[in-house]
């Protein structure tokens, strides 16, 4: 369901962009100029999650604050350059305008494709009391997984989201995430699950 929701948001964005295009020749050229790398359909989730970009104590109560905290976590962890912070925030906010990334069951997956980075990076945060994230079910979100992917080569982006979503679909996994007593335990919950 989450992936279907994401595809709808992407389709809406593409439709808006198509309405603004006029030069058919340049469109045709750009379609065939896109360089893609072959993928094996798998992502190494452990490589995308670092212990320094994980927190059990998010403090913001609203969407914008949560997004800013998670981006700051990525900067402090050395995953995102301070000079690229505003670019990443802009892309994340634009993605939220298209369609909220607040899912259901307390899960929110703020994400964006951005020129701020050249790979997939991830920050994970918990706010046990919950925060308003415009979720589908109207309930507060408590588990936040922020995913940023390179705008130039986002091949593994949806696969990564699918694996994270599958993990969080389990009620037991969600309970374990929410009961993590510190950042180390929270990191180990994710990393031990995705170890190959």
């Amino acid at each position: 369901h989450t992936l279907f929701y994401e595809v709808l948001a992407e389709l809406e964005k593409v439709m808006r962009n198509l309405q603004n295009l006029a030069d058919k020749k340049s469109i045709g050229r750009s379609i065939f100029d896109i360089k893609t790398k072959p993928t094996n359909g798998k992502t190494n989730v452990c490589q995308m999650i670092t212990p320094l970009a994980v927190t059990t104590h998010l403090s913001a109560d609203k969407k914008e604050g949560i997004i800013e905290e998670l981006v700051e976590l990525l900067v402090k962890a050395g995953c995102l350059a301070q000079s690229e912070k505003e670019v990443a925030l802009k892309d994340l906010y634009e993605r939220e305008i298209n369609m909220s990334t607040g899912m259901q069951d307390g899960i929110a997956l703020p994400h964006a494709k951005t020129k701020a980075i050249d790979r997939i990076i991830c920050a994970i945060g918990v706010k046990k009391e919950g925060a308003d994230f415009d979720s589908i079910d109207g309930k507060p979100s408590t588990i936040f997984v922020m995913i940023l992917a390179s705008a130039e080569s986002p091949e593994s982006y949806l696969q990564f989201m699918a694996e994270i979503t599958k993990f969080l679909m389990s009620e037991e996994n969600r309970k374990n995430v929410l009961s993590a007593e510190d950042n180390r335990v929270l990191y180990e919950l994710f990393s031990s699950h995705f170890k190959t």
Side-chain angles (χ1 to χ4, degrees), residues 4-142:
F4 180 68
Y5 189 72
E6 175 61 16
V7 169
L8 283 178
E10 286 292 316
L11 185 58
E12 182 182 332
K13 183 178 177 184
V14 168
M15 295 293 283
R16 268 200 317 275
N17 289 340
L18 283 174
Q19 289 172 350
N20 297 326
L21 294 174
D23 185 356
K24 292 180 183 176
K25 286 185 180 178
S26 66
I27 295 168
R29 277 195 303 273
S30 66
I31 289 171
F32 293 102
D33 283 346
I34 293 172
K35 294 175 177 64
T36 56
K37 299 174 190 170
T39 61
N40 61 7
K42 290 187 177 181
T43 57
N44 188 339
V45 173
C46 285
Q47 288 181 352
M48 298 163 196
I49 301 172
T50 172
L52 297 176
V54 170
T55 182
T56 56
H57 293 98
L58 289 171
S59 60
D61 295 318
K62 303 235 181 258
K63 178 184 286 194
E64 292 76 14
I66 294 286
I67 288 174
E68 287 175 22
E69 277 188 72
L70 291 170
V71 167
E72 188 59 35
L73 208 56
L74 288 169
V75 171
K76 287 181 179 174
C79 301
L80 177 67
Q82 178 70 40
S83 60
E84 299 294 340
K85 179 179 172 180
E86 292 306 316
V87 174
L89 282 169
K90 177 180 169 287
D91 291 331
L92 284 159
Y93 292 142
E94 282 182 5
R95 173 60 188 82
E96 290 299 324
I97 288 168
N98 287 336
M99 198 177 287
S100 177
T101 57
M103 300 295 132
Q104 56 192 26
D105 298 320
I107 302 165
L109 300 172
H111 59 275
K113 288 176 272 192
T114 180
K115 292 184 178 179
I117 50 162
D118 60 4
R119 65 196 187 286
I120 296 175
I121 59 175
C122 175
I124 299 167
V126 170
K127 183 174 177 69
K128 293 176 184 176
E129 319 85 75
D132 180 7
F133 215 86
D134 299 324
S135 61
I136 294 171
D137 59 8
K139 296 178 181 175
S141 300
T142 52

Side-chain angles (χ1 to χ4, degrees), residues 156-173:
S156 304
Y157 182 53
L158 289 178
Q159 180 67 32
F160 180 74
M161 282 188 62
E163 290 180 36
I164 291 290
T165 302
K166 185 176 179 183
F167 171 73
L168 292 174
M169 280 173 58
S170 159
E171 185 177 356
E172 182 181 353
N173 287 342

